[in-house]
Amino acid sequence: MKQKNKLKKLLKSLRVRLIIAFLLFGLLPCLIVPIGVVKGYENRAVQNRTIDILNQARILSDRILKSGYLDNPNISSINSQLEMIGNIYDGRILVVDQTFHIIKDTYDLDTSKLVASKEIVSGFLGQESSKYDSLNRYIQLTVPIKNAENQEIFGVLLLSVSTDMVRDMSQHLQNVALILQLSVTVALILLAFVFSAQITRPFGRMSQAIEEIHSGYGEDALMIDDYTETESISENMNALLNRMRVLDESRQEFVSNVSHELKTPLTSMKVLADSLIGQEGAPIELYQEFMLDIANEIERENKIITDLLSLVKMDKSADGLNIASVNVNESLEAIMKRLQPIADKQKIELVLESFRPVMAEIDETKMSLALTNLIENAIKYNDKSDGWVHVSLNADHQYFYVKVEDNGIGMPEEALDHIYERFYRVDKSHSREIGGTGLGLAITRNVILMHRGAIKVFSTEGEGTIFTVRIPLNYMN
């Protein structure tokens, strides 16, 4: 239930994040672009209006100079033009003569007054100027009245033009943009919910399928192929489920094998004990024989338990390794010496060939156990009259190599992939006769992997087997 609620929360969180991301990427342009458009329109409109008025002012200044208006401000044609331009552009026009007196004010407010503003002074210096006051919404232009030939200044034309029309149009555009923003916002919110639902729907189905698999219902395999991502997740999830299934089967098989292997000696001992109990007055020789069989079964049980404990310790971690610099040649010679009586008993030729001195950082106890298992197996599973086991040691600058080769019974090819499994036996009846627990190769492989090494096997049924082991000379954490 907790897992299901967690998946639901994750999906809800994903959906919310998608909605927020969609709205951010959708609304930000809708909010920013209209502001830029309105501001751009206002600047462009003011610029165009300034250019138009400046052109009209230049034409007007030329006519004022040629008509002698500065000396006679009562010329009706010029006054009419001044009034007309003022009305057209909704502005005020001042004509200033050389004495800085206003000889014409289209508003009739400051006629004959003296004016000496900065703009007027710059005009008498021959400079045209324009200024836009966005706060008070007007454009002010200064145009000198000058002779085109000798550039002599006779007066200044000062125009103040309203930009209310530009402001009204900008306000209209802002209103239109606001309506569009609201419409787009509503549309984006709806699309965000639809889009997020569409995006997360496959993940919802995946969550439900995982929940069904977890609960023991539904299909064994998960396949949501709506998107490349969900297909990849499905494939990885299926691989994980298969791995978990294999591990579960392996665990069940291991528990079953352990139970069987531990129960078998107990069953044998019970049968032997019951036989003794049921035979009154049995001879001492029979008692001795049965007790010897019971002792052997106890020894076998002890071997299984010891090997199981070794495996459990190795499965936990490699922290228990007691790494030290070891003379591998001497360690192998000691192993061969311990196993020589077993080889002599079975009339097996046991040979060690060392190509060079080898010093390596290993756990000598565990590595000796692993190599002992390999060599002892090669001896025990060799029933030929001319049987032999050859062990060789070699090394390079990075690894040392141990090869254990025999001409024994060998193994079929289909068994090679399973020989490291716990309690696996190629020939169960023959293995029990020899006395193996079915854990030796599993222990060997674990020890080698703990040393960051590798083990390979090559075998032909009826001809023999070769095990090759590669171990780093320097232990790598």
Side-chain angles (χ1 to χ4, degrees):
M1 183 61 70
K2 290 181 179 179
Q3 196 71 15
K4 187 175 183 180
N5 292 334
K6 189 175 181 180
L7 288 172
K8 286 183 177 179
K9 287 181 180 179
L10 287 173
L11 281 174
K12 185 177 180 180
S13 174
L14 176 61
R15 190 174 292 114
V16 170
R17 290 180 183 181
L18 284 171
I19 291 173
I20 292 173
F22 192 84
L23 290 177
L24 283 176
F25 284 104
L27 289 178
L28 282 178
C30 292
L31 295 174
I32 295 173
V33 171
I35 295 174
V37 170
V38 172
K39 191 65 178 176
Y41 163 77
E42 183 177 351
N43 293 336
R44 186 64 179 171
V46 169
Q47 184 180 6
N48 290 338
R49 195 169 180 79
T50 301
I51 293 172
D52 290 343
I53 298 170
L54 188 60
N55 289 333
Q56 292 292 336
R58 287 169 181 168
I59 295 171
L60 189 57
S61 67
D62 186 58
R63 289 179 180 176
I64 289 174
L65 182 62
K66 290 180 179 179
S67 66
Y69 183 81
L70 293 173
D71 297 324
N72 181 18
N74 295 320
I75 298 175
S76 59
S77 60
I78 298 299
N79 285 328
S80 297
Q81 289 184 34
L82 291 171
E83 295 290 341
M84 180 181 68
I85 292 174
N87 291 331
I88 291 174
Y89 291 102
D90 190 19
R92 180 184 182 187
I93 302 176
L94 301 177
V95 181
V96 182
D97 64 9
Q98 286 180 316
T99 63
F100 288 87
H101 284 84
I102 300 172
I103 63 173
K104 177 64 178 178
D105 180 359
T106 55
Y107 280 11
D108 292 327
L109 296 175
D110 297 324
T111 304
S112 300
K113 289 183 179 181
L114 183 68
V115 61
S117 65
K118 180 181 177 181
E119 290 80 10
I120 296 297
V121 173
S122 65
F124 276 106
L125 293 175
Q127 299 174 1
E128 293 181 346
S129 64
S130 64
K131 181 181 70 173
Y132 172 54
D133 189 337
S134 59
L135 183 63
N136 297 306
R137 298 185 299 277
Y138 73 88
I139 303 171
Q140 182 176 283
L141 297 98
T142 303
V143 177
I145 302 172
K146 61 184 178 180
N147 189 311
E149 295 178 358
N150 56 22
Q151 302 296 311
E152 183 180 356
I153 308 297
F154 293 95
V156 173
L157 201 60
L158 184 65
L159 300 90
S160 297
V161 179
S162 172
T163 59
D164 286 343
M165 185 176 70
V166 175
R167 181 203 62 182
D168 293 341
M169 181 57 71
S170 297
Q171 188 63 45
H172 175 70
L173 288 175
Q174 286 179 352
N175 293 335
V176 173
L178 181 60
I179 294 172
L180 288 174
Q181 285 174 345
L182 291 174
S183 302
V184 170
T185 299
V186 173
L188 281 174
I189 291 174
L190 293 174
L191 284 174
F193 278 95
V194 173
F195 178 74
S196 64
Q198 185 69 24
I199 289 292
T200 56
R201 185 177 292 113
F203 294 99
R205 295 207 312 272
M206 183 176 293
S207 174
Q208 183 179 358
I210 292 173
E211 178 63 25
E212 289 177 351
I213 292 173
H214 182 265
S215 303
Y217 300 97
E219 299 293 332
D220 290 338
L222 178 69
M223 182 47 64
I224 309 295
D225 56 359
D226 296 59
Y227 312 119
T228 303
E229 292 79 6
T230 56
E231 184 175 0
S232 177
I233 292 172
S234 297
E235 291 174 354
N236 291 331
M237 181 60 70
N238 287 331
L240 177 60
L241 289 173
N242 289 334
R243 176 61 178 163
M244 291 175 63
R245 192 176 293 111
V246 170
L247 289 174
D248 187 57
E249 291 173 356
S250 176
R251 177 185 61 81
Q252 292 179 8
E253 183 180 358
F254 177 69
V255 171
S256 175
N257 287 336
V258 168
S259 302
H260 176 73
E261 294 295 331
L262 292 176
K263 186 178 179 182
T264 300
L266 291 174
T267 303
S268 298
M269 284 187 281
K270 188 175 186 307
V271 170
L272 291 169
D274 288 343
S275 297
L276 285 176
I277 294 171
Q279 296 184 32
E280 295 183 4
I284 188 67
E285 292 82 5
L286 184 62
Y287 272 95
Q288 290 176 340
E289 180 184 349
F290 278 27
M291 292 305 294
L292 179 61
D293 291 340
I294 291 174
N296 290 334
E297 292 298 328
I298 292 173
E299 179 63 24
R300 182 179 167 201
E301 186 96 0
N302 184 53
K303 274 187 178 181
I304 295 173
I305 293 172
T306 301
D307 285 350
L308 280 173
L309 290 175
S310 299
L311 275 174
V312 169
K313 289 178 182 178
M314 291 178 192
D315 282 344
K316 288 183 179 179
S317 67
D319 295 340
L321 287 178
N322 184 21
I323 299 298
S325 182
V326 175
N327 187 318
V328 182
N329 304 73
E330 292 180 359
S331 182
L332 263 177
E333 287 171 3
I335 293 171
M336 299 290 279
K337 186 176 181 180
R338 287 198 304 270
L339 295 178
Q340 188 64 54
I342 300 175
D344 292 341
K345 184 178 179 181
Q346 291 193 216
K347 298 180 181 180
I348 301 296
E349 180 188 18
L350 188 59
V351 178
L352 171 63
E353 185 177 15
S354 297
F355 290 92
R356 57 179 49 81
V358 178
M359 295 294 296
E361 296 176 356
I362 58 174
D363 184 320
E364 185 174 13
T365 301
K366 288 185 173 61
M367 187 58 66
S368 294
L369 175 62
L371 296 178
T372 298
N373 284 338
L374 289 180
I375 300 170
E376 189 174 5
N377 281 351
I379 296 170
K380 288 181 176 180
Y381 290 93
N382 195 326
D383 56 358
K384 293 184 178 180
S385 57
D386 57 347
W388 50 261
V389 174
H390 292 171
V391 180
S392 65
L393 172 64
N394 206 344
D396 56 23
H397 65 286
Q398 191 173 2
Y399 301 96
F400 74 85
Y401 305 88
V402 177
K403 182 167 74 170
V404 179
E405 184 176 1
D406 66 72
N407 66 337
I409 60 176
M411 293 177 284
E413 185 177 353
E414 62 271 13
L416 298 182
D417 293 333
H418 304 283
I419 59 173
Y420 303 112
E421 296 175 7
R422 298 165 187 185
F423 295 113
Y424 179 82
R425 290 185 175 92
V426 178
D427 184 348
K428 296 183 179 180
S429 59
H430 192 60
S431 297
R432 285 206 172 92
E433 288 173 6
I434 293 174
T437 64
L439 296 170
L441 287 179
I443 293 172
T444 297
R445 181 174 179 272
N446 275 23
V447 170
I448 292 169
L449 292 180
M450 289 170 70
H451 283 80
R452 308 296 188 266
I455 182 171
K456 292 183 179 180
V457 60
F458 307 91
S459 185
T460 303
E461 194 170 8
E463 295 183 10
T465 303
I466 301 174
F467 280 94
T468 58
V469 176
R470 184 191 70 187
I471 305 293
L473 294 173
N474 299 310
Y475 179 73
M476 298 175 290
N477 288 318

